[in-house]
Amino acid sequence: MQATSEKVKHGLAAGPAALPQRADWTIDQHWDNYTPAQHAVWKTLYERQTKLLPGLACDDFVEGMKHLPMSADEIPNFEKLSETLMRKTGWQIVAVAGLVPDDVFFEHLANRRFPAGNFIRGANELDYLEEPDVFHDVFGHVPMLMHPVMADFIQAYGQGGLRAQQLGKLTNLARVYWYTVEFGLVQQKDGLRIYGAGIASSFSESTFSVQSDSPNRIGFDLERVMRTNYRIDDFQETYFVLDKLEGLLALANTEFAPYYARLDSGPTYQPGDVLPNDSVPHRGTGSYHRASAAAAAAKV
Ligand code: HBI
Ligand code: FE
């Protein structure tokens, strides 16, 4: 399942084995327990991705990375990351065993605590993830948490998530998170760039999202995104593009109630849809997903 890397995860509920020790589902990172083999997996992923990302990831991602106590040598220590983050944007990294329930997740984000999986994928499954591991959560998310705009946006998402849940609109809000924090692209002066963690931590999707002719790249529009399903099992068919990262600031300060009211009626869009009113910097050929679908059909 090569291409699916960073997806399947966020769609899954925490399994019954994952009973919490603490009410907030945090655990100790147990940094000392990582084996040399686990540090080696981190190193493989880290080196592969840092080689790939220049020219693909946005400047703010690269800048955030530069100032963090993170290197190829070992899986980062969450306490050290938190010291740096706390000084810069007031965030902390807390360890969790895997996906945590939505309300627990939101409560952490609302308090500027980012829950990160403390485990790492196996050496034999570098591109496959069932739940977000330490490489996705730390390499993918933490550099952007060094950016004040992303720092505020994710906190606002946590606050908004609790409200959306009460209003029965979590599906719509989760699409915003998906198409920004996880799979967002931004138009930089010198080209299209990645800021989403799901892309930045995925080897194959980093090039696919920015360079392939196959996916649509559509200007970000809040209501449009709230109405659009996403794929959790493969590359996205559509990426939504911000003019600039500061667009997230406006989004964090947007009153969502009128949007939610409109969402009570009207259409839901499919991942590959392109609409008459979309601003479309790139209309995808769809070739990749057509070929995947054909291959899947041939197997049956
Ligand atoms: N738990 N650890 C963890 N990480 C996530 O990204 C996560 C989660 N629980 C719920 C969740 N994401 C999403 O389904 C919500 O954003 C809706
Ligand atoms: Fe994530």
Side-chain angles (χ1 to χ4, degrees):
M1 231 173 143
Q2 166 77 338
T4 64
S5 51
E6 309 296 336
K7 327 328 241 290
V8 177
K9 51 176 199 175
H10 295 273
L12 300 175
L19 282 178
Q21 263 176 341
R22 303 181 192 135
D24 68 357
W25 288 64
T26 61
I27 58 175
D28 293 323
Q29 187 187 5
H30 290 300
W31 190 87
D32 291 327
N33 290 356
Y34 292 125
T35 63
Q38 289 173 321
H39 287 301
V41 170
W42 170 272
K43 185 183 173 76
T44 302
L45 291 166
Y46 184 99
E47 286 180 339
R48 185 171 77 159
Q49 213 56 16
T50 45
K51 219 173 283 169
L52 179 68
L53 285 181
L56 294 176
C58 69
D59 291 345
D60 295 304
F61 185 96
V62 177
E63 184 66 18
M65 185 66 89
K66 202 160 67 186
H67 294 101
L68 284 163
M70 219 194 280
S71 74
D73 299 337
E74 54 189 31
I75 296 171
N77 183 311
F78 293 178
E79 281 178 21
K80 290 181 188 159
L81 287 176
S82 297
E83 278 170 33
T84 303
L85 267 177
M86 181 57 86
R87 275 197 309 270
K88 180 85 173 138
T89 57
W91 275 78
Q92 287 171 270
I93 306 302
V94 294
V96 292
L99 286 170
V100 301
D102 292 338
D103 57 334
V104 175
F105 186 62
F106 296 143
E107 183 70 29
H108 281 299
L109 301 184
N111 290 287
R112 290 172 104 87
R113 292 187 302 264
F114 196 82
N118 73 334
F119 63 96
I120 192 154
R121 66 198 75 177
N124 57 341
E125 47 180 12
L126 290 184
D127 297 304
Y128 177 73
L129 272 195
E130 243 176 51
E131 294 199 1
D133 72 345
V134 64
F135 188 74
H136 167 78
D137 280 333
V138 170
F139 186 96
H141 283 287
V142 174
M144 291 309 293
L145 281 173
M146 292 284 277
H147 194 285
V149 165
M150 184 60 93
D152 286 356
F153 180 67
I154 299 190
Q155 178 180 27
Y157 175 73
Q159 294 161 336
L162 298 169
R163 267 195 309 276
Q165 229 174 1
Q166 289 155 7
L167 297 170
K169 292 291 188 286
L170 185 52
T171 304
N172 304 286
L173 186 68
R175 290 170 182 157
V176 179
Y177 187 85
W178 190 267
Y179 282 119
T180 57
V181 174
E182 294 294 351
F183 293 96
L185 297 179
V186 61
Q187 189 61 54
Q188 212 169 263
K189 293 151 281 9
D190 49 349
L192 196 63
R193 294 288 187 276
I194 300 158
Y195 72 90
I199 309 176
S201 60
S202 162
F203 183 68
S204 46
E205 192 153 5
S206 290
T207 43
F208 179 83
S209 62
V210 172
Q211 294 177 340
S212 169
D213 283 340
S214 184
N216 303 310
R217 302 188 184 89
I218 296 179
F220 185 91
D221 176 86
L222 180 56
E223 184 172 340
R224 162 71 158 100
V225 165
M226 285 182 148
R227 290 185 184 279
T228 307
N229 283 138
Y230 51 81
R231 303 189 63 123
I232 61 165
D233 60 337
D234 205 340
F235 296 149
Q236 300 307 303
E237 289 180 58
T238 297
Y239 298 92
F240 289 95
V241 182
L242 290 175
D243 295 335
K244 47 182 164 26
L245 218 51
E246 283 64 31
L248 294 177
L249 197 59
L251 211 52
N253 293 319
T254 299
E255 177 57 70
F256 277 35
Y259 286 87
Y260 291 154
R262 283 201 293 280
L263 290 166
D264 284 332
S265 59
T268 297
Y269 304 120
Q270 294 318 307
D273 288 353
V274 178
L275 309 176
N277 289 333
D278 284 339
S279 121
V280 190
H282 174 79
R283 188 179 183 116
T285 62
S287 58
Y288 171 83
H289 289 92
R290 244 189 331 274
S292 294
K299 253 186 224 167
V300 185

